[in-house]
């Protein structure tokens, strides 16, 4: 049985749960600990304000809490998750807050989190950070005159922490920061991720959100031109691809095997999305291994021709190479390259000029320098410009827009690839699909999109994020998925009514990209995930999200079907996502959101509707009784009273 | 019949729609009148599905006062000339480019027009857009014909009431308006003074204004001579704690300075119930000059509309920074916050001082009141504020707008800067204002329609003088009227239908009788006392305190533990924090009360470009079927539904509930219009879709204003033009095949 919150197991789990009173109040949650990593309004969220961090949403919904519990909330110890255990606690630790200054308190390290509670009388500050967020822990300088040692903790979510504490007198005893390093890097220390221990009951099993066959069926596949191939059932054709592949009916499996040898990492062209009316398709793959000798592959050429033929609307095929043409050409030296126009008749190749993972990592590093801890007010915009972050966001969005436009307006099928087809390709296809298909703009649809284009198609989350790995300088790390979410946020900004989810949904996804509480973003491929039995042994992020949809719902959502979004890809409209990148700064109070006011108006409407309905009935009754009196008849309600809604 | 006459015209003129191709251009007649430049076309432009009709201007019309520069071009000869008034043109123009003050750029081509008529119409436009005399401004003809009819006979007013509701706005041209303002703000120690009747004391002050009750008229008259422009200190506003806001010009008589300062200060102190001191805020020393503000706008315009879209993309952010426009917006907002701190936090009176007291003071005095006084955030309250602190206080609209184009050095967009500041507040507190950004934009555009008393003159005295002279020179029989009557801009029916005016109404507005929801039930709260408004957050119903906090707040959270757990950083803060910063920080740590004090966030991340205003004519920047208007649309439907439910309730209540068929009785307050522009359709299977004509520049569609007609249909062209810079040359070569 898969690990999930099936209701029948509820009784036994609860009794075995070590979670004390607090958790028994919450029926479905990852509980308080997570809240620290979630986007509450900045006043609540800023790392240095305790306020609502202390409260799980469930607790807040309990209108009357016993006094005992309230005291518990202010305790010095974190509210532990089931199976979470304290590994070490140190008193008299100083947290050097960049916004407030030095604060003394107690630091606790568990197998899941780092928890600091300020003990100064006037401060109610608490830091509560999942260890998965920790990128680097390092000693800064030597021992001070007071016998204190400083440690810096660099986080993956745009903040750095600095602590100072006295070395234990007992030289054999480990410093709490050594304990921290052990549990922050389970991979490097041959430990299991906390996700494998974590247990929680959710009403829904998020692992079932995405089913490749069901999603194909939703798209009308298989059909007369496209079939579902079992060639990769055991990941023999391509170990980083999903088992279910959609390919043209005219290409037999043995051709696919030959094509796999011609495409980098065996990532052959397969269908991601098909237009319900025009049959134009979005196809993804990796670069062809043409090399310096311009090698060709007959089957590959046949496949691309078949993709074109499957769409009667157009006699052309567009190949979008995500890379700058210089990079694509350079790849020829390493055996890769791009499709030549000689080999692929009727195909047109377009380079989208998106830079590689190293450029993006460097850009994010610069961005962090500019936004944390404080921004320089007088040169904010030029500093932001110098990071090129928004420029990269723009190029990615522009590429996706070109793809969406070709498919929608040009009714032409497109093939998208970069080098390996798991980073830039995933960004482009998923964003283009988000523009083309309103289903992906619902909460569940978006979950499917992420599961499909990112998780199942082998975006290497483990490698790009470096979960639990102490090697923080690893050149394979890169904010590829973060850029995708940033692009989605830019689209939400431009189309405030087109998405069912809100900004908080996106921030929650990003927080759990790093937290390692859920299995959703662990491992590098579907094959690895199955091998590790993640769906059985860990929980899905979507279980958590789908159990409290209201928090993630955009009240302005208008479900207009078959509406294609063409965002304006211009610096005039792109903005830095302050609510994510600068949320730790207590001065970054979010702008007053209108959502709350909207809810108030909704409540007012229903109240008014109720009163109108009551009056309508009253009037109807009076009219009826009048009529009956006049008619002297005992029959009631024979006179229809005009009503309206 | 409104006094408009055709001056010159040319046929077979082509209006350029797209920047690079001519296929969508329109053919028609270019007309110059004494009011506007008109373009009459027989080409059918794709009809907009929404009707936003301007009573004075057609879709292609540009008021002459809106024209900033007239540029004529002859491409064959490679010649170009900026045309001034009464200038000669030595070549036959093939093209006319009009750079407008509202950021539009309009191009006409004369390829098929007669060379002579093309030249003539260009010269006419140049001449009439730069009138030599204020009386040549169209407003005078307009006012005359409106008042007396074209035949010169006095027209009887049908019922003597302006239908547009402009009359609800006090104009502060009579003592009673000031008296009401004194009462409203509880300024009991202040009085209306009439020493300036007939403008005998100061030419730039209004005839009536408010001074400390303890100051005698005789003294005031004596003091006046020592102030620049004889502008003795003038009261603006009172805080409910007794502190007051006063504005004044500098003292030009240095020998008198000390004595005067003392006398005036002690009089203001006497008017404070706690006898608190008076702090002076010297605006000239701390804020950018009007020339700097003007330079910033010119740079901003350069980046927004003049530079080619694609080329300016790469350096967009730094060009925004270099223009310094948002930096100045922040500076004015910050200064206003400091004054707010003195009035509210220190409970002392403040006197704003500026050399002439006619520019920076207008911005700061009105911003302070917007932050402190929720009345100023209602539509009528805002209009009264502009009337009081700008029009009556003698902001030189005629010079700052440069209507006569005589002195470019005097031109400065102070009022636009103020509207931008208001927009920033509105952007940060979307439910705090009764009006919308459409309203602010339309108000700004009205500056360039020279018929309103609001924006035509440098001060009330000038209006009186000019209209007297005009009446005299035209030998108009005066009748019972004392002078020409120019409509104030607040008479919106001069420009828009009642239906279109509903675009000014904010569906989110939390007004005085605001509804708040607590634990799922709806309560309506009304402030019990008039004077409660400025007692800020603390005195106001607790239910609203958390009103708009946090987009993920659940309703039940507001009375929860949040407040108790809110951190107080006060102890640990560095000592470098100024008292004002501390005041601001503490205010931000509390829940916002939209009917109380509002402070803006001033970080550069929170003060952004007012896109609707500055980018509305740029087709490439228009988000089709997107932008804030789509959320506005959805909110309007809900607000409209609530309104119609309330009407139903009212009708049930009035009809006594017996045999009531409420649908048959229309809403008595507004016979045919609700408050919302967008209506919820009461059909059971209502389509919730957003109208296709909405875009981020709604309702200022760029159609017909240097844009592609087909913009809505093909995102491809739009995209290719917007993103060329990102394509490799190879791709471009492919693209053109």
């Amino acid at each position: 049985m898969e690990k999930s919150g099936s209701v029948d197991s509820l009784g036994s789990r609860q009794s075995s749960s070590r979670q004390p009173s607090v958790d028994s109040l919450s029926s479905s949650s990852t509980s308080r600990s997570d809240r620290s990593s979630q986007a509450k309004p900045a006043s609540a969220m800023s790392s240095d304000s305790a306020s609502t961090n202390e409260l799980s949403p469930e607790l807040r919904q309990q209108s009357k809490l016993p006094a005992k519990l309230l005291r518990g909330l202010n305790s010095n110890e974190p509210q532990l998750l089931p199976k979470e255990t304290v590994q070490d606690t140190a008193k008299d630790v100083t947290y050097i807050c960049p916004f407030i200054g030095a604060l003394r308190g107690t630091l606790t390290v568990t197998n899941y989190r780092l928890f600091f509670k300020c003990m100064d009388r006037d401060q109610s500050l608490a830091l509560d950070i999942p260890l998965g967020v920790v990128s680097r822990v390092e000693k800064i300088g030597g021992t001070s005159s007071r016998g204190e040692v400083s440690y810096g903790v660099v986080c993956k979510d745009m903040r750095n922490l600095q602590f100072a504490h006295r070395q234990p007198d007992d030289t054999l005893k480990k410093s709490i920061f050594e304990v921290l390093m052990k549990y922050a890097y389970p991979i490097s220390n041959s430990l299991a991720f906390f996700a494998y221990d974590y247990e929680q009951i959710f009403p829904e099993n998020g692992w079932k959100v995405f089913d490749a066959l069901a999603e194909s069926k939703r798209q009308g596949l298989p059909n007369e031109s496209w079939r579902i191939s079992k060639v990769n059932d055991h990941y023999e054709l391509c170990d980083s691809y999903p088992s279910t592949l959609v390919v043209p009916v005219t290409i037999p499996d043995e051709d696919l095997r030959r094509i796999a040898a011609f495409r980098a990492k065996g990532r052959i062209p397969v269908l991601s999305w098909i237009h319900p009316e025009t049959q134009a398709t979005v196809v993804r793959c990796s670069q062809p291994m043409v090399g310096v000798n311009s090698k060709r592959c007959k089957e590959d050429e046949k496949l691309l021709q078949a993709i074109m033929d499957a769409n009667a609307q157009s006699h052309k095929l567009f190949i979008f190479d995500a890379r700058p043409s210089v990079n694509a050409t350079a790849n020829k030296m390493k055996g890769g390259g791009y499709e030549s126009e000689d080999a692929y008749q009727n195909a047109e190749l377009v380079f989208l000029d998106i830079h590689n993972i190293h450029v993006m990592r460097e850009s994010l590093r610069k961005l962090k320098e500019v936004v944390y801890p404080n921004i320089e007010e007088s040169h904010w915009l030029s500093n932001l410009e110098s990071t090129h972050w928004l420029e990269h966001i723009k190029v990615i969005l522009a590429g996706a827009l070109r793809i969406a436009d070709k498919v929608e307006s040009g009714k032409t099928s497109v093939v998208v690839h970069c080098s390996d087809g798991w980073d830039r390709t995933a960004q482009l296809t998923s964003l283009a699909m988000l523009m083309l298909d309103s289903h992906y703009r619902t909460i569940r649809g978006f979950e499917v999109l992420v599961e499909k284009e990112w998780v199942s198609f082998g975006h290497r989350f483990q490698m790009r994020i470096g979960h639990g790995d102490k090697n923080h300088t690893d050149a394979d790390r890169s904010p590829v998925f973060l850029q995708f979410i940033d692009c989605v946020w830019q689209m939400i900004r431009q189309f405030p009514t087109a998405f069912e989810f809100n900004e908080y949904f996106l921030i929650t996804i990003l927080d759990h990209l790093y937290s390692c509480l859920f299995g959703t973003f662990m491992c590098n491929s579907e094959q690895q995930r199955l091998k590790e039995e993640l769906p059985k042994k860990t929980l899905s992020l979507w279980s958590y999200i789908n159990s409290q949809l209201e928090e993630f719902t955009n009240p302005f959502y208008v479900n207009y079907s078959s509406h294609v979004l063409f965002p304006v890809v211009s610096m005039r409209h792109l903005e830095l996502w302050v609510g994510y990148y600068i949320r730790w700064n207590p001065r970054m109070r979010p702008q007053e959101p209108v959502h709350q006011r909207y809810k108030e108006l909704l409540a007012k409407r229903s109240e008014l509707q109720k009163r109108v309905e009551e009056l309508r009935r009253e009037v109807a009754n009076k009219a009826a009784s009048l009529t009956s009196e006049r008619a002297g008849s005992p029959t009631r309600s024979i006179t229809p009273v005009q009503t309206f809604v | 019949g409104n006094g408009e006459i055709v001056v010159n015209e040319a046929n077979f003129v082509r209006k350029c729609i797209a920047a690079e191709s001519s296929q969508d251009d329109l053919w028609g007649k270019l007309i110059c009148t004494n009011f506007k430049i008109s373009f009459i076309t027989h080409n059918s432009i794709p009809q907009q599905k929404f009707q936003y009709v301007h009573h004075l201007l057609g879709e292609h019309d540009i008021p002459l006062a809106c024209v900033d520069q007239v540029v004529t071009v002859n491409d064959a000869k490679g010649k170009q000339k900026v045309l001034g008034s009464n200038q000669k043109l030595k070549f036959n123009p093939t093209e006319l480019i009009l750079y407008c003050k509202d950021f539009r750029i309009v191009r006409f081509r004369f390829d098929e027009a007669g060379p002579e008529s093309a030249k003539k119409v260009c010269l006419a436009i140049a001449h009439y857009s730069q009138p030599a005399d204020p009386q040549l401004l169209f407003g005078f003809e307009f006012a005359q014909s409106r008042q007396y009819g074209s035949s010169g006979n006095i027209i009887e007013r049908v019922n003597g009431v302006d239908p547009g509701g402009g009359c609800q706005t006090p104009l502060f041209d009579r003592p009673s308006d000031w008296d009401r303002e004194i009462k409203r703000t509880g300024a009991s120690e202040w009085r209306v003074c009439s020493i300036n009747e007939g403008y005998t004391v100061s030419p730039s002050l209004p005839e009536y204004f408010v001074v400390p009750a303890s100051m005698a008229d005789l003294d005031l008259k004596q003091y006046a001579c020592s102030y620049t422009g004889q502008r003795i200190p003038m009261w603006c506003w009172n805080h409910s704690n007794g502190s007051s806001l006063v504005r004044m010009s500098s003292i030009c008589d240095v020998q008198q300075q000390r004595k005067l300062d003392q006398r005036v200060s002690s009089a203001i102190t006497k008017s404070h119930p706690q006898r608190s001191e008076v702090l002076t805020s010297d605006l000239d020393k701390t804020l950018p000059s009007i020339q700097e503000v003007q330079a910033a706008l010119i740079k901003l315009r350069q980046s927004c509309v003049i530079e080619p879209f694609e080329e300016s993309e790469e350096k967009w952010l730094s060009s925004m920074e270099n223009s310094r426009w948002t930096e100045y917006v922040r500076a004015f907002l910050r200064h206003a916050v400091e004054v707010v701190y003195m009035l509210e936090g220190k409970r002392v009176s403040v006197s704003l001082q500026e050399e002439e007291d006619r520019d920076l003071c207008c911005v700061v005095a009105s911003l302070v009141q917007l932050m402190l006084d929720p009345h100023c955030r209602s539509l009528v309250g805002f209009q009264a504020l502009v009337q009081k602190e700008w029009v009556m206080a003698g902001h030189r609209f005629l010079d700052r707008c440069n209507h006569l184009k005589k002195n470019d050095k005097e031109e400065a967009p102070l009022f636009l800067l103020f509207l931008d500041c208001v927009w920033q507040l509105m952007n940060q507190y979307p439910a705090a204002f009764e009006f919308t950004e459409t309203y602010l934009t339309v108000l700004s555009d009205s500056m360039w329609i020279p018929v309103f008393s609001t924006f035509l003159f440098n001060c009330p005295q000038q209006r009186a003088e000019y209209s007297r002279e005009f009446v005299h020179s035209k030998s108009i029989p005066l009748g019972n009227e004392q002078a020409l009557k120019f409509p104030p801009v607040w008479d919106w029916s001069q420009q828009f239908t009642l239906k279109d005016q509903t675009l000014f109404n904010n569906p989110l507005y939390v007004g005085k009788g605001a509804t708040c929801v607590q634990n799922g039930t709806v309560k309506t709260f009304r402030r019990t006392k008039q004077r409660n408004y400025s007692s800020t957050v603390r005195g106001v119903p607790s239910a609203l305190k958390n009103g708009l906090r946090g987009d993920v707040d659940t309703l039940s959270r507001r009375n929860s533990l949040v407040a108790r757990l809110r951190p107080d950083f006060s102890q640990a803060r560095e000592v470098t924090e100024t008292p004002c910063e501390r005041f601001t920080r503490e205010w931000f740590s509390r829940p916002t009360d939209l009917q109380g004090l509002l402070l803006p966030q001033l970080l550069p991340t929170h003060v952004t470009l007012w896109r609707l205003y500055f980018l509305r004519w740029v087709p490439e920047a228009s988000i089709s079927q997107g932008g804030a208007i789509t959320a506005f649309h959805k909110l309007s439907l809900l607000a409209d539904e609530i309104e119609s439910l309330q009407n139903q309730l009212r009708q049930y209540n009035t009809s006594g509930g017996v045999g009531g068929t409420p649908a048959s009785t229309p809403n008595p307050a507004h016979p045919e219009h609700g408050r919302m522009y967008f209506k919820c359709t009461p059909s059971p299977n209502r389509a919730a879709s957003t109208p296709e004509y909405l875009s981020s520049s709604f309702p200022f569609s760029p159609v017909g204003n240097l844009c592609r007609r087909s913009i809505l249909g093909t995102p491809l062209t739009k995209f290719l033009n917007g993103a060329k810079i990102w394509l490799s040359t190879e791709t471009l070569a492919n693209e053109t095949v």
Side-chain angles (χ1 to χ4, degrees), chain A residues 571-588:
Chain A
M571 292 308 286
R572 270 105 168 141
H573 283 290
L574 299 183
E575 269 179 73
L576 184 76
W577 187 7
V578 169
Y580 179 76
Y581 298 106
I582 322 188
R583 61 183 159 149
W584 310 121
N585 187 332
R587 291 180 67 196
M588 291 294 159

Side-chain angles (χ1 to χ4, degrees), chain B residues 432-466:
Chain B
F433 291 83
E434 190 179 12
F435 44 92
T436 58
E437 65 172 328
T438 302
Y439 169 81
L440 293 180
T441 310
V442 162
L443 180 56
S444 170
D445 287 346
S446 304
M447 272 197 283
W448 315 117
I449 303 172
V451 301
F452 305 114
S453 60
T454 321
F455 302 123
L456 263 185
F457 306 100
N458 283 335
C459 56
Q461 180 271 338
Q462 194 186 52
R463 185 187 62 184
E465 184 193 324
Y466 283 0

Side-chain angles (χ1 to χ4, degrees), chain A residues 205-395:
Chain A
N205 181 2
W207 289 113
K208 300 205 160 157
V209 160
F210 173 63
D211 172 37
L213 289 175
E215 170 60 14
S216 296
K217 199 174 161 202
R218 187 191 69 85
Q219 293 191 21
L221 299 167
N223 62 16
E224 67 276 15
S225 310
W226 296 88
R227 69 183 177 95
I228 290 168
S229 167
K230 296 274 173 194
V231 69
N232 203 36
D233 230 10
H234 303 287
Y235 308 103
E236 284 156 345
L237 182 86
C238 173
D239 61 2
S240 61
Y241 255 15
S243 59
T244 305
L245 300 176
V246 181
V247 294
V249 285
T250 51
I251 309 294
D253 282 354
E254 43 306 358
D255 281 4
L256 295 179
R257 289 194 188 90
R258 279 191 206 103
I259 296 166
F262 180 66
R263 290 275 168 180
K265 309 284 195 303
R267 295 171 68 91
I268 61 169
V270 295
L271 179 142
S272 273
W273 190 79
I274 184 163
H275 195 289
E277 280 140 35
T278 66
Q279 304 287 297
T281 51
V282 177
V283 172
R284 63 182 288 174
C285 57
S286 62
Q287 64 180 337
M289 301 303 283
V290 295
V292 279
N293 298 324
S294 301
K295 240 169 62 187
R296 289 176 63 162
C297 171
K298 207 170 67 232
E299 291 80 7
D300 193 69
E301 289 160 23
K302 193 174 133 198
L303 172 58
L304 263 57
Q305 184 64 42
I307 293 165
M308 189 164 54
D309 293 344
N311 170 18
Q313 305 269 349
S314 172
H315 301 292
K316 242 187 159 182
L317 181 72
F318 270 85
I319 302 171
F320 286 100
D321 188 326
R323 303 165 291 185
S325 63
V326 186
N327 300 26
T329 310
N331 258 290
K332 284 188 174 179
M333 306 306 290
K334 294 184 264 175
Y338 50 88
E339 294 82 356
S340 73
E341 281 175 31
D342 299 338
Y344 298 86
Q345 304 274 314
N346 303 321
E348 195 167 323
L349 184 71
V350 178
F351 293 105
L352 293 176
D353 286 344
I354 304 172
H355 284 285
N356 63 28
I357 58 165
H358 312 293
V359 176
M360 302 308 188
R361 182 180 56 241
E362 179 60 12
S363 175
L364 184 67
R365 188 192 63 75
K366 282 190 196 151
L367 182 65
K368 188 172 175 178
E369 267 176 15
V370 168
V371 301
Y372 190 88
N374 286 306
I375 63 169
E376 195 194 325
E377 292 196 24
S378 51
H379 298 292
W380 162 241
L381 289 177
S382 48
N383 285 345
L384 178 62
E385 187 173 272
S386 70
T387 70
H388 298 291
W389 182 257
L390 285 180
E391 211 176 305
H392 294 312
I393 295 294
K394 174 179 161 161
V395 184

